[in-house]
Amino acid sequence: MSELRHNWTKKEILEIYNKPLMELLYDAATVHRKRHDPNTVQVSTLLSIKTGGCSEDCGYCPQAARYHTDIEGNDLMGVEQVKAQALRAKSSGSSRVCMGAAWRNVKDGPEFDQVLEMVRTINKLDMEVCCTLGMITENQAKRLAEAGLYAYNHNLDTSEDYYKDVISTRAFKDRLDTIENVRKSNVTVCSGGIIGMGEKLEDRAGMLVALSSLNPQPESVPINALVAVEGTPMEDIEPISIWEMVRMVATTRIVMPETQVRLSAGRTEMSREGQAMCFFAGANSIFAGDKLLTTPNPDVNEDMEMFKLLGLNPQKPFTKISQPKTVESADSQYQSLGEKPKWSRPGHTIERNEEAKQKAKLVSED
C-alpha cells in the first residue's frame, strides 16, 4: 500500500476513497507512519504580496478583476515590508513563507526583480521560501532558483475534465507546462487542488491521477476546501463535510506516500477533532496565520494550542531538502530575457462565470 507509484488509475483511487472509513484511516495512517514522523507538522505562512486585479476568470477566486467582491487590492509589497512579515511568521513557528501574487503569469521586469529580491531576503533568514505567481517560463524558474527559492506552488485545481467548468482563460496544459518548467530548476513543486467546487468524486480521483503521474511527484500537495466568497461564481455552493476532507487527505496520503499533504483553505470550518482526524490520516502540513491570501484562516495561537493538545511539533526548515544557496543579482548566471510567452486562452464560455461578471458590471454601474 505504501509503494511509490506513478500509474494509479481513477478506478483504483476511487476504490481507496470509498473504503469503509475506519479501514481507510487505518491504511492511510499506516502509510503515513512508514514514511513520515506522525508527530511533526510543517507550518507555512501564506502572504499576499500583490492582491486583486487578476485577469483570470477562476470561478472560485475573489481576486479576479471581473467579479465584484469585497477584496481590497494592493500593489506589489516592498522588500522590507515582506521581510518584517517573514520575521513575524518565523517567531510564531512557521518554517516557510509562501508569497502569492495575483498575476496570470510572471512578466520580466522591475516587479519580478523585486520578487527575486524578496526571495533572497527570506532565504537569508533561514526560512524556506515558496512563491505562487502564475505561469512561469524555464528561465524565470531558474532565476527564482538562483535567488534561493525552495518551492513553487502551481495548483492543478481539479481534474482535467472538470477544469473547463471552472476556468476559461487558461488551459490545464498550462499548469502542467509550468510545473515542468519548475522541474528544470532545482526548485521543489507544490501542487494540489480544491474540493467542493461542484465536481464529482471521479474528478477528485482524476486530479490525484494527474498529480501522482508526475515524476517526481510534487513534494507538497495542498488540499483546499472551497471557501465560497460572495460575488464569485461559486458563492452559493454549500461547504463540503469534514468526512469528505478526511477521505481526500487519506486517499492523497496513500496515493502519494512521500508527499507532504497540506491542510489549506477551509480550516476555519473544521473543528479541532476534524483536523486531528486529518493529521491522523496523513496531513503533515498546514498554513498558519489569520488569512490565506484573502480568505479567513485560524489564528496562529489557536494552531499552536491545538498542536500542544495533540502532541504535534512544528517541522524545522530544510528538514526534507537542504537549504538553497542565494546568488546575488550581480552574480546571476540567468538574466531577464524579456520573454512574452503565448500562454493559452481557450476562450470557451462558462455560464456561471459570465453571470457573475455581468452581475459585477451592474454593481459598478450603480
Side-chain angles (χ1 to χ4, degrees):
M1 182 65 74
S2 64
E3 180 188 358
L4 183 60
R5 291 175 49 190
H6 300 279
N7 62 345
W8 288 97
T9 67
K10 197 182 296 187
K11 183 175 181 286
E12 288 176 315
I13 292 174
L14 283 171
E15 286 174 354
I16 294 171
Y17 186 98
N18 289 316
K19 278 186 177 186
L21 185 61
M22 294 301 115
E23 186 179 341
L24 175 60
L25 285 172
Y26 178 83
D27 289 346
T30 301
V31 171
H32 187 52
R33 279 150 180 71
K34 185 173 181 178
R35 301 276 186 161
H36 305 271
D37 178 352
N39 297 318
T40 300
V41 175
Q42 192 273 327
V43 182
S44 296
T45 293
L46 185 55
L47 178 62
S48 182
I49 58 174
K50 187 271 178 185
T51 306
C54 184
S55 62
E56 303 281 62
D57 76 335
C58 307
Y60 53 80
C61 186
Q63 299 201 64
R66 67 189 67 203
Y67 309 137
H68 180 77
T69 62
D70 291 330
I71 300 304
E72 290 187 18
N74 67 266
D75 295 330
L76 189 64
M77 293 172 66
V79 175
E80 288 304 312
Q81 194 177 1
V82 168
K83 181 179 180 180
Q85 295 276 15
L87 287 169
R88 181 183 167 203
K90 185 176 183 179
S91 67
S92 66
S94 286
S95 61
R96 179 182 299 187
V97 171
C98 184
M99 299 185 289
W103 292 333
R104 169 177 163 82
N105 59 278
V106 171
K107 296 178 181 178
D108 289 342
E111 287 195 322
F112 185 45
D113 292 341
Q114 191 167 320
V115 171
L116 292 171
E117 198 55 42
M118 293 176 191
V119 172
R120 294 186 182 97
T121 299
I122 297 175
N123 191 45
K124 290 173 186 175
L125 298 177
D126 295 327
M127 296 186 76
E128 297 171 5
V129 194
C130 176
C131 281
T132 179
L133 311 170
M135 281 91 76
I136 59 172
T137 65
E138 179 182 346
N139 184 66
Q140 290 164 343
K142 288 178 176 177
R143 292 180 72 196
L144 285 163
E146 266 198 335
L149 192 70
Y150 185 88
Y152 194 85
N153 168 263
H154 204 61
N155 290 335
L156 295 186
D157 291 336
T158 187
S159 70
E160 185 171 6
D161 290 338
Y162 193 61
Y163 193 86
K164 64 182 179 298
D165 294 316
V166 178
I167 301 158
S168 72
T169 51
R170 62 172 185 254
F172 192 80
K173 186 177 183 298
D174 292 329
R175 316 303 279 176
L176 298 175
D177 288 347
T178 287
I179 291 171
E180 185 179 345
N181 287 338
V182 173
R183 283 297 185 204
K184 292 173 183 175
S185 70
N186 61 355
V187 174
T188 64
V189 168
C190 174
S191 185
I194 306 168
I195 64 173
M197 297 191 293
E199 75 284 349
K200 299 175 183 177
L201 292 185
E202 287 79 5
D203 293 307
R204 296 178 190 176
M207 181 181 77
L208 293 182
V209 167
L211 289 168
S212 63
S213 297
L214 297 172
N215 192 3
Q217 293 172 350
E219 285 79 4
S220 175
V221 172
I223 301 297
N224 298 273
L226 175 70
V227 178
V229 178
E230 185 176 358
T232 65
M234 296 184 176
E235 63 181 359
D236 295 324
I237 294 182
E238 292 294 319
I240 61 166
S241 72
I242 184 61
W243 308 113
E244 292 176 271
M245 197 68 175
V246 170
R247 284 186 178 278
M248 191 64 183
V249 166
T251 305
T252 304
R253 168 51 64 225
I254 292 168
V255 172
M256 288 177 277
E258 292 187 352
T259 291
Q260 290 204 282
V261 181
R262 179 174 298 125
L263 277 183
S264 298
R267 279 205 303 125
T268 52
E269 303 300 318
M270 300 179 201
S271 66
R272 282 182 174 173
E273 293 84 354
Q275 292 180 70
M277 289 184 72
C278 288
F279 292 131
F280 181 77
N284 59 345
S285 180
I286 63 168
F287 275 123
D290 59 358
K291 270 194 175 182
L292 292 188
L293 296 180
T294 59
T295 55
N297 197 52
D299 179 78
V300 65
N301 293 323
E302 291 179 26
D303 284 334
M304 291 304 107
E305 187 179 335
M306 177 177 67
F307 274 30
K308 186 175 180 181
L309 284 169
L310 300 179
L312 299 175
N313 302 303
Q315 180 178 297
K316 295 186 182 303
F318 313 112
T319 299
K320 301 288 185 180
I321 294 173
S322 59
Q323 183 175 7
K325 293 182 179 178
T326 287
V327 176
E328 299 300 336
S329 58
D331 302 318
S332 177
Q333 180 183 347
Y334 300 97
Q335 302 299 322
S336 170
L337 299 179
E339 297 174 281
K340 295 181 180 179
K342 297 289 185 181
W343 299 104
S344 66
R345 290 188 181 273
H348 65 280
T349 298
I350 302 173
E351 187 175 341
R352 65 183 171 192
N353 290 15
E354 286 301 309
E355 288 175 356
K357 180 180 175 181
Q358 294 305 318
K359 183 179 175 182
K361 282 184 178 179
L362 291 174
V363 172
S364 64
E365 287 170 1
D366 289 343

